[in-house]
Structures are given as C-alpha cells and as structure tokens.
Amino acid sequence: MDRRTLIGFVMISFILVFWMTWNSGNKDKEAATQKRIDDSIAHLDSIDHSEKVALNKKKDDSIKNFLAKNPNINSDSLRKALEKQNFGIFCNAHKGTDSVFTIENERLKADIASKGGKIVRVELKGIKTWDGKPLYLFNNDSTHFGLSFFDRKRKRYSTDSLYFHAAGNSFRVNGKDSNSISMRLYPDTTGCYIEFRYSLRGNSSLVGCTTSFAGLDQLLDDGQSQLDLTWAMNTPSQEKSLKNQQMVASVFYNFDGEDGVDNLKETGEDSKSLIGNVKWVSFKQQYFSSILIAKTKFANNGEASIHTPSDPFTVKSMSATVPVPFRKTAKESFAMNFYFGPNKYSDLKSYDLHLEREINLGWSIFGGINRYIFIPLFSWLGDNIANYGIVILLLTIIVKIVLFPIAYKSFLSSAKMRVLKPEIDEINAKFGKDDPLKKQQATMALYKKAGVNPAAGCIPLLLQIPILFALIRLFPSAYELRQHGFLWAHDLSTYDSVWNFGFNVPGYGDHMSLFALLMTVSTILYTWMNQQTLQPGSAQLPGMKWLIYIMPILFLGFLNSYSSALSYYYFISNMITFTQMAVMKRFVDHDAIRAKIDENKKKPVKQSGFMQRLEKAQRERQKQLVDAQKNAKGGKKK
C-alpha cells in the first residue's frame, strides 16, 4: 500500500467517525464533519485515475464493513453526502438508465444514448461492408463525444459520462419531412440544463446538433469563455484491404474563411494544435466520413491527433477538440451539423464548404486534371451507363482519341528517324567517340536540314505522366467504383484476386491480380515495340536498355494490391495503343517521308533564335576545349 492510498484510508476513517458522531446527535460538529469530507474529496481528485478507482473500491468495502458493524448508521445518507462531494453540481446525473433512442431516414440510422446524450452508432442504409455486413461508421464502444468545463470551485466535468433525459421519442422521417429529439442534462440547481438537440430531415446525410445552455452562467467558472468539445472514435475496417484504408484515413479540418484543407499525417502518429477558428473537422475513412460542421465557427485553440492501433479490425484512432464559444448569458446556443455519408465528390461539393477537398485527387496539375476533366467526364458516363467496366473502357477510348494527333506526330517523328538512320550511322562512323561535340553538331545539322524534331517522340510520354498520376489518385478514391465488379474483378475499387497463395511473397503480396499482371505484360510489350521505333543510338545508354523493362515488373508489386480499375484502364490503354501503332504503320509511307526529307534538305535552313544560341554555346565550348588542350601541351613543353 503506497503513502497516498494510506492517507486516503485514514481520511475515509475520519469521515466515518465524524458521520457516526453527527448521526448520534452531536450536531455541533456538523461543520467540522463537512470540512473533513471536503478535504477528503479534494485529495481523492488529486490522485491518478487508476489509483482513484482502486481507492474507491476499497472505500466502498470499508463503508460496507463499517455499516455492518454499526447498523444504526443511515447508509443512504452517508453515501449521498459522499456522492454530492464527488460529483458536485451533477450529483444527480452521474447515475441513470442506459436508454437508446433512434433517429433515421432513407440514408442513415443514428442511435443516441442517454449516457452522454451523444450519437453512439451510425448505420448507412443500403450500403454494406466488403463482406456483405451492415456498414457502421462507428459503434458505442469506440466513440467519445462530450463537453468539458469547470464549475466555480474549479472542478472539471465532462458530459460524456453523465446521464441525459430525452425530450421526445425514436422517430423516422421520409422525403422532406423533419423531426428532432432533445437530450437534456440537468444540474442539481433548478432551471439549469445543457441540451443536445438532434434534428434530421428525410433523404439527407446531415444530422443537426444544436447545443444549448440555460443558467450555466451562474454555475461555471467566471473566467471560462469557451467549453471544450471533444470528439473521438476508432474507425472500423469496412473494406477488403486494411492497408489501403490506413494509407488514406486521417483527420481533416478547415479553418473559417479559407479554401484550403489541412490534415494530419496519413501514416504513423500525429497531433497538431488548431490555431485558428475551425469551420469543420472530419474523421475521414477511405470511402466514408464523419464530419462535424459549425454553422458559424468554433473558437480558437483546438487540437487533433491520430494514431494507428494494433487492432486488425480498426483502421485509425482519431480525436479532435474544438472549443465551443460561451458568452456567459442566461440562455444561449451553438448550432452544428454532422455529416455521415460517403466520400462522393459531387455530394461533398454540393454543401459549398470545401468538404470535397478532403478527397486526395493529387496536388497541383494532377488534382486539376481530375477536378476539371476526369471527374466531370467520369460522372457523366456513370450517370448514363450502369456498368463501370464499360465506363472505364469508354473513358480510355476518349482519352486516346484526344491524344491521337500527338501520338500520330510522335509516330511520324519516329518514322523520320528510321529513314535518317543510314546517315546517322555515317556520322557516328566518321567521328566515333573521339570528338562527341562535332558528332553532336553534325547530327543536329542533319536534323535541321531534314526538318526533323528529335524531341517530338517524347511529347506523348510527357503528356501521359500527369494523366497517370491523376488516375492513380482518382480510381482508388472514386466511391462510385466501390463494390461495382467487372469480369473477374468483384470490386473495381480494390484489387482483383484470381489466386490466393496462402502465404506472403515479399514485395508482391499474398495473391495474384490478373488485371495488374495483364497491365505489366502489355507494358513490357509496348516498351519493346517502342524501342524498335526510337531514334538511332538512344536505346544504347548504359543500363537504360534493361531498366525500362525492369520498371514495369517493380511496379507490379504496387499494382497487385491497388485498385483493379487503374490496372484495367492501363491494360486497355496499351491495347488501344497497339492498335493505333498497327494502323499508323500501315498508312505511313516511308518513301514519301524520304522524299519529303530530301526536299527539305534543298531548302535554305532558317535558324531559330534558340538554335543560334545553342550553336553559339557549342562553339564557345569547343573553343574552351581547344584552349585547354593547348595550355596542357604548353605546360608539358615547359
């Protein structure tokens, strides 16, 4: 037994002795007894929670033993006095009946508990987890929601552990109907209360939550201008891949008056102080979010934190504290809304609160491509076509049609390079490796006379890079793809598995994704075909010949556990590219290209300003090399 616990027992003994004396008629010591009680409770408040729990158990055992030996003592009166001191102005609210009230509409069903007066569970109707079970955003044993504040004696309270009284019943609303239920917490003082008023409209993902205070200005500490609203939850796993969920789940938040959205790190642990007036805070999962939105704004100096638990059924543990303004008036309220629903871009954007910004569509140009090109096109196709495999096919065809003029110019450039190959070989044989500068100058002069741009073949690749990165972000975050299958893929939003190994292959995974495998094989084939059309010598760079074949194989390990929609898109894209190359190869006349090049050689060459500067720089560089060689020879003679 440690020193603090021993002191606690001693003080509890004093309480019992003084209470027995008072109960026997010695009322002149009542004030002294009360003081002893106050001192004892104050000491109990200073003890750590774990020690306090153990001490309270021992205290209860001591009281039971004492009452068993002294049957003339009024145990109810004794316990009531102790509870009054321990629970302060909410003594009558620390016990109650655990009741649950339900509000629901076409989209969601929310359970509200009497303990804490909070929403303890939300089910999204018509939506299932990956294995076909009802989808709950959170459950009673994994969420916390409550206001924290101090009374005039600087005793701290949290509504999360106190019992509320319901004013209303469980209800369901439809269409444009609306309804509300009030949960009130009553202090021991008459006429005072804290209220959470929940409202719901039919066919809406928003649950209204208005917090009202009546008479609290007389009970709370004078220096308190805000009440801390703490919200926390452990988000359950809902999708096939826990790892993919953990990669994107985080706490997002937006400051009032700002367009941008900030978030905690999506990997590992993180915490931040929210310096500024928060407009909303979101516990974002892969395809769903629980968002708390202030109709005005929360007060300054909040905080948020996140960590990844070891529980294999929990994605992240998230928490946020946002201060609620308190103006110290006799009656006031603060209005909020909860959003419980999917991370569908169009739905979140419709609220005009920048909620859609929590969907990571990529930074800078990649996000812009998704927001202004791919999402509108993808949504339009999805609204008119039920099968998302066909939607992705049509999206791929449209992209390839748009890029076809550039691809055609690239193919022509490659054809011109093949026609010039004999002359390039002559230049290489003439200068060899002894004078690379002159060889480069002669090669550039040949390109200039022939009217060939050697960089034209790189343009399609450069254009496809932002498209690649944009779609890497779009497909795995597109809620529309969730649980929509195509061919052997049961869910295009996650990986397709045609063979589960039963063991893990490092760098690859425990399964085989056929779409990822087809995409890799087709990419290697495309790379080989592309090498046949490159300009002479470009494929002979040291190590480059093998690296371009190894990269798709290394990328396979990433795609194997990624969205099958992305692998499917690039497989189809490669197939269309093969078709385009076959068609262009058939219709491009190499003899006509040769004739055009010979005609260009006869024309006077008009140099651009860029080429003039480039040649000037080359001449200066050559002069510097010659001077350096002369200086070196002069030094040897000396």
Side-chain angles (χ1 to χ4, degrees):
M1 182 182 296
D2 60 27
R3 180 173 175 272
R4 289 186 291 178
T5 303
L6 180 60
I7 293 173
F9 271 115
V10 172
M11 289 188 173
I12 292 299
S13 300
F14 274 115
I15 293 172
L16 295 176
V17 170
F18 277 100
W19 190 269
M20 182 181 62
T21 303
W22 176 86
N23 195 58
S24 65
N26 192 4
K27 297 186 178 181
D28 57 328
K29 297 183 180 180
E30 182 176 353
T33 303
Q34 188 62 43
K35 184 178 184 305
R36 296 284 186 177
I37 294 174
D38 291 342
D39 293 341
S40 177
I41 298 301
H43 176 72
L44 290 175
D45 285 341
S46 67
I47 298 177
D48 293 340
H49 177 71
S50 59
E51 296 181 7
K52 188 186 294 185
V53 171
L55 185 57
N56 284 339
K57 184 179 184 303
K58 293 179 180 179
K59 176 188 69 176
D60 289 341
D61 293 340
S62 298
I63 293 174
K64 289 178 182 178
N65 294 333
F66 179 80
L67 292 175
K69 295 178 181 179
N70 299 273
N72 60 322
I73 301 297
N74 188 328
S75 61
D76 291 338
S77 300
L78 174 59
R79 189 173 297 279
K80 185 175 182 180
L82 291 172
E83 290 176 349
K84 179 67 176 177
Q85 296 303 315
N86 197 21
F87 297 102
I89 60 176
F90 290 99
C91 179
N92 294 328
H94 85 281
K95 290 183 178 179
T97 303
D98 290 323
S99 302
V100 175
F101 305 88
T102 302
I103 58 176
E104 58 181 314
N105 62 6
E106 290 93 334
R107 294 193 178 189
L108 60 87
K109 178 181 179 181
D111 292 338
I112 303 170
S114 58
K115 187 175 182 179
K118 60 187 178 182
I119 299 176
V120 294
R121 186 167 72 167
V122 172
E123 176 187 357
L124 298 184
K125 292 185 174 183
I127 301 176
K128 303 294 182 182
T129 61
W130 71 275
D131 52 355
K133 297 178 181 178
L135 192 143
Y136 296 98
L137 294 181
F138 53 89
N139 292 295
N140 187 15
D141 57 352
S142 65
T143 185
H144 170 93
F145 182 82
L147 290 164
S148 299
F149 47 86
F150 294 90
D151 65 10
R152 292 181 178 272
K153 294 182 180 180
R154 296 299 297 170
K155 181 175 177 59
R156 188 176 183 274
Y157 300 90
S158 175
T159 63
D160 188 65
S161 60
L162 301 174
Y163 284 85
F164 285 64
H165 295 269
N169 298 303
S170 299
F171 62 84
R172 175 188 174 93
V173 294
N174 300 291
K176 295 183 179 180
D177 298 337
S178 62
N179 211 331
S180 64
I181 185 171
S182 296
M183 306 297 294
R184 285 191 177 184
L185 172 65
Y186 293 102
D188 297 344
T189 305
T190 305
C192 301
Y193 62 82
I194 296 175
E195 179 185 70
F196 291 145
R197 183 174 180 270
Y198 299 99
S199 58
L200 184 63
R201 182 179 294 275
N203 199 32
S204 174
S205 295
L206 292 181
V207 177
C209 177
T210 300
T211 302
S212 298
F213 311 112
L216 245 61
D217 57 314
Q218 302 299 319
L219 301 178
L220 302 191
D221 184 82
D222 289 336
Q224 193 160 239
S225 61
Q226 59 191 36
L227 282 65
D228 287 339
L229 178 60
T230 300
W231 187 31
M233 70 172 62
N234 293 336
T235 55
S237 178
Q238 299 154 342
E239 312 302 330
K240 189 175 183 180
S241 171
L242 178 65
K243 180 180 178 182
N244 287 348
Q245 293 176 82
Q246 291 175 337
M247 286 172 58
V248 296
S250 185
V251 178
F252 285 75
Y253 51 92
N254 167 256
F255 291 105
D256 183 57
E258 296 186 7
D259 296 340
V261 172
D262 296 312
N263 65 281
L264 303 185
K265 290 191 301 184
E266 295 170 332
T267 57
E269 298 187 4
D270 193 16
S271 61
K272 286 183 181 179
S273 297
L274 308 182
I275 308 301
N277 298 111
V278 173
K279 178 65 178 178
W280 55 260
V281 59
S282 172
F283 295 156
K284 176 185 175 292
Q285 298 166 251
Q286 184 175 9
Y287 291 111
F288 305 94
S289 287
S290 302
I291 309 175
L292 180 61
I293 308 165
K295 284 196 174 181
T296 53
K297 58 186 176 182
F298 292 104
N300 193 8
N301 293 328
E303 59 183 22
S305 65
I306 188 172
H307 74 274
T308 304
S310 57
D311 178 9
F313 303 103
T314 302
V315 178
K316 294 284 180 70
S317 293
M318 310 181 189
S319 66
T321 298
V322 283
V324 173
F326 183 58
R327 301 187 302 273
K328 306 175 188 176
T329 58
K331 192 171 184 179
E332 56 185 277
S333 61
F334 184 80
M336 302 173 288
N337 281 312
F338 283 104
Y339 172 84
F340 298 122
N343 297 333
K344 190 175 181 180
Y345 186 87
S346 57
D347 288 354
L348 294 177
K349 187 175 177 60
S350 66
Y351 294 106
D352 197 24
L353 293 169
H354 312 297
L355 301 178
E356 75 281 358
R357 292 282 182 172
E358 72 170 9
I359 302 176
N360 190 351
L361 298 175
W363 57 274
S364 187
I365 186 175
F366 312 126
I369 291 173
N370 278 327
R371 291 186 184 92
Y372 302 113
I373 299 177
F374 282 135
I375 287 181
L377 179 59
F378 186 75
S379 299
W380 180 79
L381 291 172
D383 291 340
N384 293 277
I385 301 172
N387 190 307
Y388 274 92
I390 304 300
V391 168
I392 295 175
L393 173 62
L394 293 178
L395 178 66
T396 312
I397 293 173
I398 292 172
V399 171
K400 299 301 287 187
I401 289 175
V402 171
L403 294 179
F404 179 76
I406 300 174
Y408 181 69
K409 289 183 178 180
S410 174
F411 188 85
L412 284 180
S413 176
S414 299
K416 292 177 182 178
M417 301 302 296
R418 288 194 297 272
V419 170
L420 288 175
K421 186 178 185 303
E423 296 173 63
I424 296 293
D425 291 341
E426 290 180 7
I427 293 175
N428 290 336
K430 180 179 180 180
F431 295 101
K433 298 181 179 180
D434 297 332
D435 200 339
L437 185 60
K438 287 186 177 180
K439 181 171 70 173
Q440 182 184 21
Q441 289 175 338
T443 303
M444 294 299 294
L446 175 63
Y447 289 155
K448 185 167 53 178
K449 289 181 180 179
V452 175
N453 181 5
C458 301
I459 295 177
L461 177 63
L462 294 176
L463 287 176
Q464 289 186 46
I465 288 177
I467 294 175
L468 168 65
F469 281 98
L471 293 176
I472 283 177
R473 286 297 186 184
L474 175 65
F475 286 132
S477 61
Y479 171 78
E480 292 84 351
L481 293 176
R482 186 179 184 270
Q483 296 185 354
H484 282 272
F486 182 67
L487 298 179
W488 56 84
H490 299 293
D491 187 345
L492 287 168
S493 70
T494 187
Y495 61 85
D496 61 297
S497 178
V498 295
W499 181 16
N500 295 318
F501 305 148
F503 56 89
N504 186 64
V505 178
Y508 185 69
D510 60 357
H511 62 277
M512 177 186 291
S513 167
L514 184 55
F515 272 132
L517 191 61
L518 290 172
M519 186 268 190
T520 301
V521 173
S522 63
T523 301
I524 293 174
L525 180 59
Y526 170 75
T527 302
W528 177 82
M529 293 177 64
N530 200 41
Q531 287 297 300
Q532 312 310 308
T533 63
L534 288 176
Q535 65 188 63
S538 63
Q540 306 303 319
L541 296 175
M544 184 62 69
K545 181 177 181 180
W546 298 110
L547 181 61
I548 58 179
Y549 291 104
I550 293 174
M551 285 302 294
I553 298 175
L554 295 177
F555 205 48
L556 174 62
F558 167 75
L559 290 173
N560 191 60
S561 297
Y562 215 57
S563 167
S564 56
L566 182 66
S567 300
Y568 168 58
Y569 169 86
Y570 275 100
F571 170 65
I572 295 298
S573 179
N574 286 340
M575 293 298 101
I576 295 175
T577 299
F578 296 153
T579 304
Q580 287 179 340
M581 291 176 66
V583 172
M584 289 186 293
K585 188 175 182 180
R586 181 175 181 181
F587 286 96
V588 170
D589 188 346
H590 286 73
D591 293 335
I593 293 175
R594 177 77 259 182
K596 180 67 174 176
I597 289 176
D598 292 340
E599 183 181 343
N600 290 337
K601 287 181 178 181
K602 298 176 182 178
K603 297 178 181 179
V605 177
K606 182 180 179 182
Q607 278 192 334
S608 65
F610 172 76
M611 291 301 298
Q612 291 176 4
R613 291 191 296 270
L614 180 61
E615 289 187 1
K616 182 180 178 181
Q618 289 176 340
R619 288 193 298 268
E620 291 177 354
R621 176 60 178 165
Q622 186 176 13
K623 185 176 181 301
Q624 290 174 0
L625 290 174
V626 172
D627 292 343
Q629 291 174 354
K630 289 181 179 179
N631 293 334
K633 290 180 180 179
K636 288 180 180 179
K637 290 179 180 180
K638 290 180 180 179

